[in-house]
Amino acid sequence: MIRSALLLAMLAAVPLAHAAPELTTISERSGFQATGRYDEVIKLCADFQKAYSKQVKCIEFGRTPENRPMMALVVSNTGAFTPQAARKQGLPVTLIQGGIHAGEIDGKDAGFLALRETLNGKLAKGALDKQVLLFVPVFNVDGHERFGKWNRPNQRGPVEMGWRTTAQNFNLNRDYVKADAPEMAAMLKLVNAWDPLTYVDLHVTDGAKFQHDVSIQVEPVYSGDPEFRQAGLALRTNVIKDIAKQGSTPQSYYMSFAKTDDPQSGFVDSVSDPRFSTGYFPLRNRMALLVETHSWKDYPTRVRVTHNTVISILEQVAANGKAWQQAALAADARASKLAGQEVALSYRTTDKTQMVDFQGYEYTRTPSDVSGILMTRYDESKPQVWRVPLREEVVAERVVAAPRAGYIVPAAWADIVSSKLTLHGIAFRKLDKAIAQAQVETFRADKASFSATSFESHQRLTVDGAWKAEARQVSAGALFVPVNQPKARLVVAMLEPQAPDSLLAWGFFNNAYERKEYMEEYVAEDVAREQMAADPALAAEFKRRVETDPAFARNPHARLEFFARRHASWDERFNLYPVYRANVAP
């Protein structure tokens, strides 16, 4: 239970008088102790449309694996209830989603409260004249209905909440690129239709105990189109400034210690990979804003902070959306000329460090007789300022030059790849004629390493190697994916084999890295002797390898494979990445 004084303060900060009963949430009526089930979302969606028929349209944009409707509210003061109307009116679109992790459900209850107060003119006055709001109260609907009291053991309230993952056990905030989950496919269809300028992802942290109540992270700030980063930084700066005026103590980085459970290790800012919302949307030249309220704040506090953040975002887009929209379109135009230019695939945080004051609590770290490791205990009755290191200089790590034309996907793999490209709204075409000798670049892995365990239903793969010029036969039915298009950075992120969330990295091409034909050892013995007899230089190379490479010398299979690779029976497609780079469009 929360302290009564805190509840009263919160209620004073968020006035509830004169709220139509049918437009209040179970959470609000409980004093923000509880949260409702999904049938409440369905009802509120319809009720908001009924109460504000000229400003709200309730839509279903997908179905979950357990056949629940995925609901969204389209909100506009100008009647822009379709993507076409929004584009015709030149309005930026703001998509705000709650419950991607359905145990972290602040966004649903805060969003409905902010929506009502915006529609009735109490807050964010005029904001809906200058943008279209898409509000998705719960993204992970099936997870929301896996309701329980202890689904979030590291979080204070509500009394019961949903589950982190979907009914198929997908973590949707690892699924933006690979798009395995039906829920993600539905979301991407919504995104492709509406093309939101700003995508807001409402979460709750895990982690330690401290005084700060929220982090606000935005991309592009460190990643994506360099010029468009100015818009992302402005959004982050302005929202942090707005909510700080209302008593929050926001930070611009995720407040997780550099070393687990060690406050003195400080913090490291970073760029998320494209599997995350904040890593994905900059590749589309759009802004993503991640809100992470602090899990150890009680539910009324977290809802209030999330509510304030939502209002700030609506006000900031209303004030700056036109300029940011033009900046996004300019980034699209630059992306449409990205062929042949350098593109960052990943980022790293440098060792550059500054010491900062961080509002924590007194704590002790003592050995645990249960786990045997150091255990941190916080005393929340004793605020303390920690002087800790912060690293927040982020630079490009792996950089490649994009192909001068695009990528060719052989016909055998076309269906697998085209289905993913279509989900992301990426342009491509199918070749109707074969090419006997296409001059392309191929990537043959010198080393292919499979992950030891499954991650998000995939066995991930990393490869070492390089692109090299080669002539390849390309059959009719192959795909050509041009680089020069607005989503060029996403094209490169998906099809460069060494990108962290490429289709290769997620295991969609694992079969190409599995050896399926072998030479019996007694046959290989004879082949080895025949090859050395016919080629003294080869025999000398083998002898030198045995003498200078102890691991090779001890491995009988490697010694025989040395000769098998030079035999006509060797599979030349083994470890060949089944996507080519083209410097001339076919």
Side-chain angles (χ1 to χ4, degrees):
M1 298 297 290
I2 64 169
R3 298 179 179 90
S4 58
L6 177 59
L7 175 58
L8 290 172
M10 187 280 302
L11 292 176
V14 184
L16 305 181
H18 310 300
E22 66 273 14
L23 296 184
T24 60
T25 59
I26 289 170
S27 182
E28 190 174 345
R29 296 193 295 274
S30 73
F32 299 98
Q33 297 301 298
T35 193
R37 302 295 292 267
Y38 193 67
D39 57 358
E40 179 189 42
V41 171
I42 298 172
K43 182 178 185 302
L44 281 172
C45 192
D47 287 349
F48 267 94
Q49 177 176 285
K50 183 178 179 180
Y52 296 96
S53 59
K54 294 183 178 181
Q55 295 162 285
V56 178
K57 182 178 181 181
C58 175
I59 65 170
E60 177 182 327
F61 66 94
R63 283 267 159 176
T64 71
E66 293 184 336
N67 200 36
R68 294 186 176 94
M70 300 177 69
M71 308 305 296
L73 293 87
V74 184
V75 190
S76 168
N77 279 351
T78 64
F81 293 136
T82 66
Q84 295 78 13
R87 283 192 287 272
K88 185 176 181 180
Q89 295 181 29
L91 293 172
V93 176
T94 304
L95 194 158
I96 298 178
Q97 73 175 24
I100 189 172
H101 296 151
E104 306 167 22
I105 204 57
D106 310 13
K108 176 190 68 174
D109 294 320
F112 275 124
L113 179 59
L115 176 60
R116 190 186 72 229
E117 293 179 333
T118 303
L119 287 167
N120 67 22
K122 288 184 178 180
L123 296 174
K125 295 179 180 180
L128 297 175
D129 297 336
K130 299 179 179 179
Q131 67 194 298
V132 177
L133 168 64
L134 295 183
F135 176 44
V136 179
V138 181
F139 185 3
N140 176 15
V141 177
D142 289 343
H144 185 279
E145 291 305 278
R146 190 177 168 183
F147 224 57
K149 288 188 176 181
W150 294 106
N151 286 348
R152 290 277 292 166
N154 310 309
Q155 176 177 299
R156 287 183 176 139
V159 175
E160 295 178 283
M161 72 286 287
W163 191 253
R164 182 177 181 83
T165 57
T166 71
Q168 296 176 331
N169 207 34
F170 282 115
N171 182 339
L172 291 174
N173 204 27
R174 306 295 185 273
D175 200 39
Y176 278 91
V177 173
K178 63 185 179 66
D180 287 328
E183 295 94 334
M184 184 58 73
M187 178 59 76
L188 290 175
K189 185 177 180 181
L190 186 71
V191 166
N192 289 335
W194 283 93
D195 189 21
L197 170 68
T198 310
Y199 187 94
V200 181
D201 196 2
L202 304 175
H203 287 250
V204 182
T205 64
D206 294 309
K209 294 181 180 180
F210 42 73
Q211 298 176 56
H212 295 274
D213 53 8
V214 64
S215 66
I216 303 294
Q217 293 173 268
V218 176
E219 286 297 333
V221 169
Y222 301 124
S223 66
D225 181 277
E227 291 185 43
F228 191 43
R229 296 175 193 178
Q230 297 174 23
L233 180 59
L235 174 62
R236 187 183 78 177
T237 301
N238 294 349
V239 170
I240 287 176
K241 184 178 180 180
D242 284 347
I243 64 175
K245 290 178 182 177
Q246 295 172 292
S248 282
T249 52
Q251 298 293 335
S252 61
Y253 50 87
Y254 189 80
M255 291 178 282
S256 179
F257 299 138
K259 295 180 181 178
T260 301
D261 205 31
D262 181 2
Q264 286 306 305
S265 66
F267 303 96
V268 180
D269 205 357
S270 63
V271 169
S272 294
D273 290 333
R275 72 192 71 164
F276 297 89
S277 61
T278 49
Y280 175 75
F281 280 92
L283 300 179
R284 299 177 68 115
N285 303 315
R286 301 297 181 263
M287 295 187 288
L289 189 151
L290 175 66
V291 179
E292 291 272 5
T293 54
H294 184 38
S295 62
W296 290 110
K297 301 301 179 186
D298 59 33
Y299 197 53
T301 300
R302 299 203 318 271
V303 171
R304 173 174 53 80
V305 172
T306 304
H307 160 275
N308 293 345
T309 304
V310 168
I311 294 298
S312 170
I313 292 165
L314 294 176
E315 291 176 337
Q316 289 301 328
V317 174
N320 302 290
K322 284 288 188 182
W324 292 343
Q325 191 175 37
Q326 291 304 309
L329 294 175
D332 286 349
R334 289 188 291 273
S336 297
K337 300 177 182 179
L338 199 65
Q341 297 185 39
E342 288 192 341
V343 180
L345 301 181
S346 60
Y347 297 83
R348 66 178 180 86
T349 307
T350 72
D351 292 332
K352 183 179 179 181
T353 303
Q354 60 175 316
M355 300 302 292
V356 297
D357 290 336
F358 190 85
Q359 306 300 316
Y361 298 107
E362 290 189 15
Y363 65 92
T364 59
R365 300 193 77 208
T366 56
S368 167
D369 56 2
V370 176
S371 65
I373 62 175
L374 284 177
M375 178 181 175
T376 305
R377 292 179 174 87
Y378 299 92
D379 185 344
E380 293 177 89
S381 69
K382 297 178 179 178
Q384 185 181 67
V385 177
W386 301 338
R387 188 72 174 168
V388 296
L390 171 64
R391 293 163 49 207
E392 57 179 354
E393 183 181 66
V394 180
V395 297
E397 183 178 35
R398 185 183 292 275
V399 178
V400 299
R404 291 196 293 273
Y407 297 89
I408 294 174
V409 182
W413 301 87
D415 285 349
I416 293 172
V417 175
S418 65
S419 65
K420 297 301 180 184
L421 298 177
T422 300
L423 280 173
H424 294 286
I426 290 173
F428 63 91
R429 60 182 170 86
K430 186 172 288 189
L431 303 185
D432 55 5
K433 294 181 180 179
I435 305 173
Q437 291 288 299
Q439 300 301 314
V440 297
E441 294 177 0
T442 60
F443 188 103
R444 294 178 183 273
D446 300 322
K447 181 181 179 182
S449 304
F450 293 99
S451 61
T453 58
S454 174
F455 176 61
E456 289 296 314
S457 85
H458 290 259
Q459 184 182 26
R460 284 176 57 84
L461 173 64
T462 58
V463 292
D464 295 334
W467 292 100
K468 296 178 181 178
E470 185 177 343
R472 301 290 301 186
Q473 180 180 355
V474 175
S475 302
L479 306 181
F480 175 65
V481 188
V483 169
N484 282 345
Q485 56 179 301
K487 298 186 183 74
R489 294 180 190 277
L490 183 56
V491 170
V492 174
M494 292 177 69
L495 296 181
E496 277 296 321
Q498 294 178 304
D501 282 329
S502 67
L503 296 182
L504 178 142
W506 278 111
F508 287 97
F509 301 114
N510 281 3
N511 249 1
Y513 299 88
E514 299 173 8
R515 189 175 169 191
K516 303 297 175 77
E517 185 60 86
Y518 296 87
M519 182 182 290
E520 296 287 356
E521 291 176 356
Y522 69 89
V523 176
E525 291 279 359
D526 290 341
V527 166
R529 288 167 174 77
E530 291 170 2
Q531 289 183 359
M532 286 190 288
D535 188 347
L538 179 65
E541 182 183 348
F542 176 71
K543 182 174 183 294
R544 178 180 51 78
R545 183 85 180 273
V546 170
E547 292 173 348
T548 60
D549 187 341
F552 178 80
R554 291 192 302 268
N555 189 334
H557 299 291
R559 291 170 68 151
L560 291 176
E561 187 177 295
F562 177 90
F563 300 100
R565 283 179 174 273
R566 290 162 172 79
H567 192 263
S569 65
W570 181 258
D571 180 9
E572 67 90 20
R573 296 185 186 181
F574 176 55
N575 280 357
L576 172 66
Y577 177 43
V579 176
Y580 312 143
R581 287 167 52 114
N583 291 320
V584 178

